[in-house]
């Protein structure tokens, strides 16, 4: 029996938009205030910790940093971590460039586009990758009674994505063309992820690219799977990671090395402890336990797959999001 779409959407919207104002899910974690890059703050204990401000979206994708903070991995590396909520790559990139954040979480095409526009950015670690199979963390969905059955059927249709010229429409165009459709005939429109389930049900769009937890909610409400665009693009595709400015990377080795070590440990721990991932998500969002149990978790890993990243960059050039292929030697660790 279908769930009430209003209830599903309300729960999922709360999951995305609600997070701890301090950014730390641990009640005994150091409070830590915002400081200029290079400043230090005292923490409970014998030594002093280096303050670091990291901008993230409070969703399942970023669970490892919250988990690592709760486990003390950042403190072990001498860092007093402050997690600051952002709305996504559009806010994360200027936040890092302006110095509001030391590091931020952003999807790979957003960072490629910023670099293409002359903003020198550098990834420190990966953040998450596609599962490479069905179910995946993101998928293209259509109404249950739609005649859209596969990626090629999206040609000539209206498809919702959260941002234009980004990882969503780039991967969708690629899999549509691979399935025999003409990607140039797709009309992409911007709709926020929380609003996509309702847009599908009302027929506002023919299909929508939806991420978990909204994907699971929409399918529970009757939407059907058309394609797993990440997994079908490349089963090793990396989706987003943690980046800083090239200036910070080159001039603040202490901070870079400490964050990289702590974040790597956090990603490895999350990969090995999926139930703790589900639990920690409940500490910085209001996602109910039932939804957390049902959601699809991504693969968490610190290293990037360069072949898949190169393929993504070439696709972004082909479909007009980038002027030239990204310099992966400059962009990746």
């Amino acid at each position: 029996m279908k769930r009430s779409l209003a209830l599903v959407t309300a729960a999922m919207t709360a999951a995305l938009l609600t997070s701890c104002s301090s950014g730390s899910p641990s009640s005994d974690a150091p409070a830590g205030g915002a400081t200029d890059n290079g400043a230090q703050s005292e923490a409970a204990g014998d030594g002093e910790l280096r303050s670091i401000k990291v901008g993230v979206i409070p969703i399942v994708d970023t669970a490892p940093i919250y988990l690592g903070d709760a486990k003390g991995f950042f403190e072990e590396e001498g860092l007093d971590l402050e997690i600051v909520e952002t709305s996504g790559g559009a806010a994360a990139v200027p936040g890092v460039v302006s110095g509001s954040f030391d590091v931020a979480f952003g999807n790979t095409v957003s960072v490629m586009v910023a670099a293409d526009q002359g903003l020198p950015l550098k990834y420190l670690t990966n953040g998450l990758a596609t599962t490479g199979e069905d179910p995946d963390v993101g998928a293209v969905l259509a109404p249950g009674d739609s005649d859209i059955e596969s990626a090629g059927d999206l040609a000539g249709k209206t498809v919702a994505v959260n941002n234009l010229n980004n990882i969503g429409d780039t991967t969708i165009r690629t899999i549509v063309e691979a399935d025999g459709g003409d990607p140039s005939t797709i009309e992409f429109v911007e709709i926020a992820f929380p609003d996509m389930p309702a847009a599908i049900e009302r027929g506002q769009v023919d299909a929508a690219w939806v991420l978990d937890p909204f994907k699971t909610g929409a399918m529970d409400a009757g939407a059907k799977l058309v394609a797993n665009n990440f997994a079908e693009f490349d089963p090793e595709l990396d989706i987003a990671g943690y980046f800083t400015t090239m200036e910070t990377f080159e001039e603040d080795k202490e901070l870079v090395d400490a964050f990289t070590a702590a974040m790597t440990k956090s990603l490895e721990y999350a990969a090995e402890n999926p139930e703790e991932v589900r639990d920690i998500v409940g500490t910085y969002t209001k996602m109910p336990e039932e939804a957390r149990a049902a959601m699809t978790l991504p693969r968490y890993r610190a290293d990037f797959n360069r072949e898949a990243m190169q393929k993504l960059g070439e696709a972004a050039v082909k479909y007009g999001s980038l002027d030239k292929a990204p310099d992966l030697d400059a962009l990746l660790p």
Side-chain angles (χ1 to χ4, degrees):
M1 188 174 191
K2 296 180 184 179
R3 296 181 185 175
S4 163
L5 181 61
L7 291 177
V8 171
T9 302
M12 297 301 99
T13 301
L16 179 66
L17 298 180
T18 305
S19 69
C20 299
S21 59
S22 68
S24 175
S26 175
S27 60
D28 59 354
T35 61
D36 292 334
N37 192 24
Q40 292 183 328
S41 65
E42 288 192 16
D46 296 334
E48 290 186 342
L49 301 180
R50 171 82 178 272
S51 294
I52 183 171
K53 206 175 200 179
V54 182
V56 305
I57 314 169
I59 53 176
V60 65
D61 299 10
T62 55
I65 195 169
Y66 289 94
L67 188 56
D69 190 25
K71 291 293 179 182
F73 297 155
F74 290 87
E75 187 173 352
E76 289 173 4
E77 297 298 332
L79 297 177
D80 180 14
L81 175 66
E82 181 182 0
I83 301 174
V84 183
E85 176 185 339
T86 73
S87 59
V93 169
V96 167
V97 172
S98 69
S100 296
F101 306 136
D102 298 292
V103 178
F105 176 87
N107 83 69
T108 50
V109 174
S110 286
V111 175
M112 287 180 186
V113 169
D116 194 52
Q117 295 173 347
L119 300 176
L121 301 176
K122 183 80 170 181
Y123 273 114
L124 302 181
T125 72
N126 194 357
L128 72 154
T130 171
T131 66
E133 58 189 15
D134 182 23
D136 199 7
V137 290
V140 181
L141 306 181
D145 59 357
S146 171
D147 60 359
I148 299 174
E149 299 293 340
S150 67
D153 295 334
L154 295 171
K157 306 297 185 181
T158 300
V159 180
V161 293
N162 70 319
N163 293 122
L164 300 177
N165 300 315
N166 217 296
I167 194 168
D169 52 8
T170 298
T171 52
I172 291 169
R173 285 186 171 102
T174 302
I175 66 171
V176 166
E177 186 168 4
D179 197 38
D182 182 355
S184 69
T185 64
I186 302 173
E187 180 184 359
F188 286 101
V189 297
E190 289 188 346
I191 296 179
F193 285 127
D195 299 327
M196 288 184 181
I200 294 170
E201 185 177 65
R202 292 195 304 261
Q204 182 179 345
V205 292
D206 297 308
W209 169 55
V210 192
L211 301 184
D212 256 332
F214 308 106
K215 176 179 75 78
T216 298
M219 294 183 73
D220 284 348
K224 70 176 181 180
L225 176 71
V226 174
N228 292 296
N229 54 302
F230 289 150
E232 293 177 31
F233 178 87
D234 193 297
E236 294 299 328
L237 182 66
D238 297 311
I239 299 167
Y242 294 86
F243 67 93
T244 189
T245 62
M246 186 62 74
E247 180 181 7
T248 297
F249 179 78
E250 293 177 343
E251 299 181 7
D252 199 341
K253 182 175 174 57
E254 180 183 355
L255 184 72
V256 167
D257 288 352
F259 177 83
T260 300
M263 195 66 237
T264 297
K265 193 182 301 184
S266 300
L267 288 160
E268 291 173 348
Y269 188 87
E272 295 169 358
N273 296 276
E275 292 312 309
E276 290 193 45
V277 170
R278 297 180 192 278
D279 290 341
I280 201 71
V281 170
T283 69
Y284 64 89
T285 77
K286 289 186 177 179
M287 188 185 301
E289 184 177 358
E290 180 184 2
R292 286 186 278 118
M295 67 185 177
T296 301
L297 297 182
R299 280 188 291 173
Y300 296 119
R301 62 187 184 196
D303 295 332
F304 288 91
N305 184 290
R306 291 177 68 94
E307 290 183 7
M309 184 77 83
Q310 185 67 43
K311 180 179 176 182
L312 181 63
E314 291 169 355
V317 172
K318 179 177 181 179
Y319 298 117
S321 295
L322 297 178
D323 289 332
K324 59 183 181 302
D327 180 356
L328 296 187
D329 289 335
L331 193 64
L332 299 182

